[in-house]
Amino acid sequence: MKKIKGIPVSEGVALGISTVIEKDKLTIDRKSILPEEIESELERFEYDANFVIHEIEHLIENYTFNQEHKDILITQKMILQDPEFHKSVTQQITNNLSSLEHAISNYFTEITKIFSNMDNEFFAQRVSDYEDVAYRLLSRTLKQGEHILSELNEKSILIMKNITPSFVTKVFEKHVRGLVTEKGSRNSHSSIIARSMGLPMIAGVREIIENIPHGRKIIIDGNNGEIIIDPTNTVQKKFEAIFEKEQENRHKLDALIDVKSITADGKVVKLMSNIEIPDELNQVVKFHSEGIGLFRTEFLFIDKNKLPTEEEQYQIYKEIAEKISPEPLVIRTIDVGGDKLSSILNLGREENPNLGCRGIRISFENIQIFKQQFRAILRAYTKEYIRIMFPMISDVKEIVRAKKIIAQCMDQLTSKGIEFGNKLEIGAMIEIPSAVFTSDAIARACDFLSIGTNDLVQYTLAVDRDNESVSTYYKPSHPSVIRSIKMTVENAHKYGKRVAVCGEMASEIKYVKLLLGLGVDELSVSPGRLLKVKNEILKCDFQQAEKLAELALQLDSSEEISNLLI
Ligand code: PEP
Ligand code: MG
């Protein structure tokens, strides 16, 4: 039996078999082919190369990226069309009986070696272009995602260096029992999704591939970050009992599904859900959530081969709005960047992605995509239950600019005779300190505010929310965060505007009372946590919560505030 520790990011105990997968590395299992396969291999080359070229052309032609992004795309296309590339791959397949993947990989390895050896900035830059193209093409020919999924079953506990948010949902569909990763921490998007799905997960495990062998009995405890490999019978029995108890508690909470979210002394607290992908909707409906307070629309742009059309977006928004009607649906406009990477938006590499082009900045850089999203939202919005919200707002001017673009989209639709509702509510996410300090101006320009504590903590404390090595500095209970929430609430209430918290702090039981005491009107939480949070609201006395908040606001350290919350 061996025990190792990681960061607990999604609670619950799971017992299963370790399935170690190295997704970051593209593995080429088949290096050679038979003579009779030459023709089909060449056809595959033609088809897949053209597919990727068309994908790139589609981006260049239909969307006005800034010049730098456009240049990257044009270079990638040229690399794929280079006759030397085609000649090399074709010759390797026909003369050496290389598999397509092996031939592609040989060509790119050779060419990047040559460029890397030239001590020249220009050629060094070309290396990353060639590597990007190679990855793009090889992921297509290897159909990597499907290959990984076929290795999973309902006993698997997946062990990976890193996992993307969209991949969490794919493995969830394969009924895996839990996840363990090397990268990531509590507020990474993958962890957020795992919590929403109720999938136990541990992140931040050092040298994971070396430490956890494949195909062994394993127990993960998402409550305290413990991983046990080859447990003894006694340990296994102990965890089986904990697992049973957890299941029992979940069933008990189900009794709260139809209970109204109201404090013990009668204050009504609107309790909504966050979703990242439409699949989570089942949970939202099952737990009778009072609406969706944050619909992260990034999934439409992440891990996809092409950009979503306006029609596709319209159908998705409409379907979700109808399913939760008459409760509201708050659609947040695209917020890729940071740990949410989008290859189809081809944003280029950034030294500091969390401080780079993300959130509303991406929308302003890609106005066509922004307008397309607005039109889809407006078309889906024929009744009053859709609201729009902007991420990463740093000042009121961005709201004014976004509203102007919405007005242009409304004019476009009106001129085409397309109907939409006329009371669209507009909200801003408060997740950057500059937005906190100017929340009075932002509140005046908006109908509601929603505090994104995941980023607010990251930017206030200068701690990367995804970097496991600094996770001890990531403190939601820091006085600066608590005072920021208070300031935002006061500013919004001054202008009669509602304030929600949609960051993960709202899903953490220990913060619920404090947030209510600080005057927050609405909470939007991970669907998997909805009933637990409701249970906490029901137990809470609002007047006592206000006293707790008053005390917390006087304290100087996160430790003192945390002690108050126990
Ligand atoms: C947040 O930052 O708190 C938030 C809700 O947005 P996201 O986690 O998607 O960045
Ligand atoms: Mg955020």
Side-chain angles (χ1 to χ4, degrees), residues 187 189 192 274 276 294 296 298 332 335 339-340 358 392 429 431 451-456 465 502-504:
N187 289 288
H189 285 91
I192 293 175
N274 298 342
E276 306 230 3
L294 167 64
R296 296 177 164 103
E298 297 80 75
R332 180 178 73 180
D335 182 23
D339 69 330
K340 296 174 278 189
R358 58 166 297 199
M392 298 290 296
M429 288 200 67
E431 43 188 356
I451 306 178
T453 51
N454 308 337
D455 279 314
L456 184 61
R465 61 192 264 189
C502 63
E504 288 299 295

Side-chain angles (χ1 to χ4, degrees), residues 493-510:
H493 286 178
K494 216 170 7 184
Y495 297 100
K497 309 293 164 73
R498 302 183 308 277
V499 182
V501 170
C502 63
E504 288 299 295
M505 249 178 116
S507 298
E508 303 250 358
I509 302 307
K510 66 175 173 193

Side-chain angles (χ1 to χ4, degrees), residues 76-237:
Q76 293 202 350
K77 184 180 156 191
M78 276 162 51
I79 293 172
L80 285 170
Q81 287 175 324
D82 184 354
E84 279 305 313
F85 166 54
H86 284 258
K87 198 165 127 201
S88 164
V89 173
T90 308
Q91 274 179 357
Q92 291 183 66
I93 293 175
T94 15
N95 302 347
N96 311 347
L97 294 181
S98 287
S99 71
L100 171 60
E101 288 78 18
H102 194 44
I104 295 172
S105 164
N106 282 343
Y107 173 80
F108 283 107
T109 310
E110 203 48 46
I111 204 137
T112 48
K113 210 191 285 165
I114 297 171
F115 283 159
S116 312
N117 289 337
M118 294 180 187
D119 191 14
N120 175 308
E121 177 79 16
F122 175 78
F123 286 111
Q125 176 56 38
R126 294 283 79 77
V127 170
S128 65
D129 288 335
Y130 274 88
E131 282 172 350
D132 276 356
V133 174
Y135 196 85
R136 210 185 249 270
L137 185 56
L138 282 171
S139 327
R140 158 108 204 133
T141 58
L142 288 167
K143 298 193 173 46
Q144 183 201 51
E146 289 156 38
H147 155 76
I148 292 173
L149 289 174
S150 67
E151 291 188 33
L152 302 173
N153 60 45
E154 67 285 352
K155 286 201 179 125
S156 306
I157 292 191
L158 179 60
I159 317 293
M160 280 179 98
K161 270 198 183 252
N162 200 5
I163 189 162
T164 59
S166 63
F167 208 66
V168 176
T169 62
K170 286 193 189 146
V171 303
F172 178 73
E173 282 161 16
K174 297 295 281 186
H175 306 289
V176 302
R177 294 188 179 174
L179 299 173
V180 187
T181 61
E182 183 167 310
K183 299 259 182 293
S185 58
R186 197 164 170 79
N187 289 288
S188 304
H189 285 91
S190 305
S191 313
I192 293 175
I193 300 225
R195 284 203 287 281
S196 151
M197 306 269 171
L199 196 60
M201 176 171 172
I202 295 175
V205 178
R206 296 221 175 116
E207 297 182 352
I208 193 165
I209 306 295
E210 291 76 14
N211 269 318
I212 307 183
H214 177 77
R216 303 277 268 277
K217 251 192 199 172
I218 184 171
I219 296 173
I220 65 170
D221 184 351
N223 307 312
N224 61 30
E226 194 166 55
I227 300 157
I228 304 168
I229 303 153
D230 298 332
T232 60
N233 272 349
T234 328
V235 169
Q236 181 165 339
K237 288 226 167 68

Side-chain angles (χ1 to χ4, degrees), residues 265-506:
D265 50 345
K267 183 175 161 65
V268 176
V269 181
K270 195 161 178 76
L271 182 57
M272 299 187 281
S273 300
N274 298 342
I275 63 166
E276 306 230 3
I277 44 158
D279 293 354
E280 288 173 287
L281 203 58
N282 292 340
Q283 303 268 89
V284 174
V285 174
K286 177 174 158 202
F287 297 133
H288 296 188
S289 173
E290 293 179 81
I292 292 173
L294 167 64
F295 176 25
R296 296 177 164 103
T297 56
E298 297 80 75
F299 81 94
L300 290 161
F301 300 85
I302 293 174
D303 280 0
K304 293 280 188 299
N305 293 329
K306 62 178 191 51
L307 288 163
T309 62
E310 181 179 318
E311 189 59 28
E312 278 162 1
Q313 293 192 58
Y314 160 70
Q315 291 296 347
I316 291 169
Y317 302 150
K318 184 164 145 317
E319 197 182 317
I320 297 180
E322 280 173 0
K323 276 224 175 99
I324 59 154
S325 165
E327 301 293 357
L329 164 65
V330 181
I331 301 181
R332 180 178 73 180
T333 58
I334 176 174
D335 182 23
V336 291
D339 69 330
K340 296 174 278 189
L341 300 173
S342 168
S343 54
I344 46 165
L345 285 173
N346 229 322
L347 303 167
R349 290 215 175 94
E350 292 181 309
E351 285 297 324
N352 252 323
N354 273 321
L355 301 182
C357 193
R358 58 166 297 199
I360 190 96
R361 299 170 191 176
I362 287 184
S363 299
F364 287 147
E365 287 280 320
N366 298 279
I367 292 289
Q368 304 297 3
I369 296 176
F370 202 23
K371 284 189 172 171
Q372 202 180 37
Q373 184 167 35
F374 279 146
R375 284 194 302 266
I377 295 172
L378 287 168
R379 285 173 53 199
Y381 162 64
T382 45
K383 302 206 182 103
E384 276 156 44
Y385 44 76
I386 290 189
R387 300 173 188 159
I388 223 166
M389 179 161 82
F390 302 111
M392 298 290 296
I393 289 297
S394 61
D395 63 31
V396 68
K397 277 208 164 147
E398 289 167 347
I399 295 290
V400 173
R401 187 170 167 196
K403 279 169 115 176
K404 270 196 193 133
I405 301 170
I406 296 186
Q408 288 166 7
C409 293
M410 286 178 162
D411 288 346
Q412 269 177 349
L413 293 181
T414 309
S415 67
K416 285 187 185 158
I418 298 172
E419 271 186 36
F420 50 86
N422 57 4
K423 281 195 216 147
L424 183 71
E425 287 197 8
I426 289 175
M429 288 200 67
I430 303 294
E431 43 188 356
I432 306 183
S434 63
V436 171
F437 288 112
T438 56
S439 49
D440 50 347
I442 297 175
R444 275 199 303 269
C446 289
D447 299 295
F448 66 96
L449 302 182
S450 188
I451 306 178
T453 51
N454 308 337
D455 279 314
L456 184 61
V457 175
Q458 157 164 270
Y459 295 125
T460 304
L461 303 181
V463 187
D464 182 346
R465 61 192 264 189
D466 304 306
N467 183 346
E468 61 284 0
S469 63
V470 287
S471 62
T472 50
Y473 295 93
Y474 189 94
K475 295 172 176 164
S477 61
H478 196 280
S480 59
V481 176
I482 306 305
R483 292 174 203 180
S484 294
I485 296 173
K486 183 69 184 168
M487 180 184 264
T488 305
V489 168
E490 279 182 349
N491 277 334
H493 286 178
K494 216 170 7 184
Y495 297 100
K497 309 293 164 73
R498 302 183 308 277
V499 182
V501 170
C502 63
E504 288 299 295
M505 249 178 116

